[in-house]
Amino acid sequence: MIKKISLALAVITTLIFSSYKQEKPLYKDAKQSIEKRIDDLLARMNLQEKVMQLNQYTLGRNDNANNMADPVNGIPAEIGSLIYFGSDADLRNQVQKKAMEQSRLGIPIIFGYDVIHGFRTIYPISLGQACSWNPALVEKACGVAAQEARMSGIDWTFSPMIDVARDGRWGRVAEGYGEDTYTNAIFTVASVKGYQGKDLSSDKNVAACLKHYIGYGASEAGRDYVYSEISNQTLWDTYMPPYEAGVKAGALTLMSSFNDISGTPGSANHYTLTEVLKKRWKHDGFVVSDWGSIEQLRPQGVAANKKEAALKAFTAGVEMDMMNRSYDNHLGDLVKEGKVSEELLNDAVRRVLRVKFKLGLFDRPYTPTTTEKQRFYRPESLKIAEQLAEESIVLLKNKDRALPLTSAKKILVKGYTPQPGDIKYRDLNGDGIINQYDQTTIGSQKPSLFLGARLGFNVGGFDVSALLQGVINQEVYLSGSSYWEFQGGTAQAYQNHLNRFTPSTAATAQYPRLTTNSGPRNGAVNNFVSSSFWLRKGDFLKLRNVELGYTLPAKLTQKIGIKSTRLFANGLNLWTLSSKTFNGADPENFNGTYPIERVFSFGLNIQL
């Protein structure tokens, strides 16, 4: 009797244990192949869970401990990806814990960020890296950036930017590897290998993202987000090779571009996104939109509303929606209405899950907590930065007297590159340093008509003159930007800085497309302000200048061989725009006359 009871208990225990083993989801079994795990997980997911995997929000832009809102509460546990603005793993792990424990299936989030030319250990910009002609060294630099980023909670970098750029007016030339197609391709491969390494699941590698696919650098007149005229020949000869090289090197993701290509936006281009990338090149990762590029399909004229924009982008081949809020609001309905097939939806989700599995996020979803000393500025990392900086320096040799400089003793090299500390402000609490950088550009594609006159008088060595000069043009492009970097200090001190320098609502109404973006970046808190607009037919751009001068008596200067010496000071009211065509009904335009920038200078004229 005792033997029968023991046997029965053994059988029951075995059945319970077998049942437990069978109930463990296959997708959580690290011994299974990635594709089998994806199949199992997809079969368990409902429509809403699938849709949420295809959306990307932000995290870390409002994590001040003094804020009332908890940044974790506002993040859905089912979200597919987050742009992480933090520099340590704490907040990231809090949100990841929510995804793993509060969502039905425990699908981990993938955290991305713009790690462009270093995370904390900073390297020369990509344009400078190309000047090194040393792809092996660039691969090492990207490896360091990946190590610092991954140990700080970032799994995925929106880099490299590999847009072939041949128009110096385009403001993003510095992010790429230059104007040569082959050079871009070589450094693309180097950067992808550096970021992703040999083991994507390690704590030292991140997923790479080739951007901006495609033709973004060909934007007309160097203007961002606008039309680009690219023939099929030029598309394949000039712009495609770096991306093809990056895909063959194993880049897990790509980012769709803002521009349209001969009338078809890059984020709604079935030919480039699906026929070429997925079918011809066999890319098995996913495509993420650029920030707002799906929403931009409306002003580009291919979508009437966000729902149609979501339909156009998704069916073209954009799997993940970066901060458009189009997929989360409309993709589910599009599937229910039969406008998006279940098969296409499953393929998109499969691609996103595949990247997460390759990164090892299902098996190790959390980032180990480490100190900044363990993560950043390692001696070997600094050596790579120093070597790359040295090798990126370009020296010009006047071979065979190409330039007539043989008799010149001094050469003026004109230009200015702002350095940290050039313009410093102490924040309102006396806590932290603010470095300001300013840049202004003007360009024109059409002949300009300049009108001007200078009037003045001279009395007893003193002279006063005034200049009024203007340009009437159908298309003159003006753009200006200011960039502030806040180093050190408290979050409240940074907020004081923002309150002091961020444009007001009235200013943004006056200056079209005036935007502000702020957040921690590479260890400092940054704020960027930019404005740009076009003069239209009938607009008048005025440059007003008043100058005061004093010429020293000749008897004081001629004794030492100086014919004349004149001291002067002037003030230039630069770029005052009178516009009749802009109107207040358009929120991106303004009406009236506005001073844009003022410049004051002092000087000394000496005639020998």
Side-chain angles (χ1 to χ4, degrees), residues 290-329:
D290 204 341
W291 187 304
S293 67
I294 297 176
E295 164 68 14
Q296 187 167 310
L297 296 180
R298 294 198 293 171
Q300 286 177 316
V302 300
N305 48 51
K306 272 194 172 186
K307 186 174 183 179
E308 187 177 5
L311 175 64
K312 293 289 182 69
F314 189 74
T315 53
V318 178
E319 282 83 25
M320 184 171 286
D321 175 345
M322 179 194 287
M323 289 303 295
N324 294 274
R325 301 305 300 267
S326 297
Y327 287 4
D328 54 356
N329 288 318

Side-chain angles (χ1 to χ4, degrees), residues 217-451:
S219 295
E220 189 179 58
R223 292 173 292 164
D224 230 2
Y225 306 172
V226 300
Y227 184 83
S228 59
E229 182 66 50
I230 305 175
S231 68
N232 203 49
Q233 181 76 28
T234 302
L235 181 69
W236 282 97
D237 282 353
T238 303
Y239 297 102
M240 283 292 198
Y243 287 93
E244 184 175 11
V247 171
K248 290 181 178 179
L252 287 181
T253 68
L254 288 85
M255 182 182 293
S256 64
S257 61
F258 276 107
N259 62 293
D260 62 27
I261 304 169
S262 304
T264 305
S267 293
N269 197 314
H270 188 271
Y271 172 70
T272 58
L273 293 168
T274 296
E275 293 180 36
V276 175
L277 179 62
K278 296 176 175 64
K279 294 182 178 180
R280 187 179 302 188
W281 292 348
K282 309 298 182 185
H283 184 249
D284 64 356
F286 67 86
V287 177
V288 61
S289 75
D290 204 341
W291 187 304
S293 67
I294 297 176
E295 164 68 14
Q296 187 167 310
L297 296 180
R298 294 198 293 171
Q300 286 177 316
V302 300
N305 48 51
K306 272 194 172 186
K307 186 174 183 179
E308 187 177 5
L311 175 64
K312 293 289 182 69
F314 189 74
T315 53
V318 178
E319 282 83 25
M320 184 171 286
D321 175 345
M322 179 194 287
M323 289 303 295
N324 294 274
R325 301 305 300 267
S326 297
Y327 287 4
D328 54 356
N329 288 318
H330 301 294
L331 188 53
D333 291 336
L334 291 169
V335 174
K336 292 176 183 177
E337 294 167 5
K339 295 179 180 179
V340 171
S341 68
E342 189 82 24
E343 179 183 5
L344 187 60
L345 177 68
N346 287 341
D347 179 71
V349 177
R350 177 181 295 275
R351 291 172 177 275
V352 173
L353 294 177
R354 183 179 290 121
V355 171
K356 292 184 177 184
F357 275 114
K358 287 185 176 182
L359 287 167
L361 295 176
F362 278 87
D363 305 316
R364 294 182 300 280
Y366 304 109
T367 299
T369 301
T370 55
T371 64
E372 289 195 353
K373 185 176 182 180
Q374 291 173 313
R375 300 194 301 273
F376 308 139
Y377 309 124
R378 296 178 175 181
E380 60 272 22
S381 302
L382 296 178
K383 288 181 180 179
I384 294 172
E386 182 180 16
Q387 183 181 351
L388 188 52
E390 290 173 350
E391 295 193 17
S392 69
I393 296 172
V394 177
L395 301 178
L396 301 179
K397 185 177 182 180
N398 193 21
K399 188 177 181 181
D400 299 327
R401 298 184 179 179
L403 298 175
L405 303 175
T406 54
S407 60
K409 295 182 180 180
K410 294 183 179 180
I411 300 173
L412 171 65
V413 180
K414 185 171 174 56
Y416 177 67
T417 301
Q419 301 296 327
D422 283 359
I423 304 177
K424 286 181 180 288
Y425 298 93
R426 180 66 63 173
D427 79 282
L428 300 183
N429 285 352
D431 185 7
I433 293 294
I434 300 165
N435 299 319
Q436 178 178 334
Y437 310 80
D438 293 290
Q439 181 179 5
T440 310
T441 58
I442 179 170
S444 173
Q445 278 195 301
K446 298 183 178 181
S448 304
L449 175 61
F450 284 88
L451 302 173

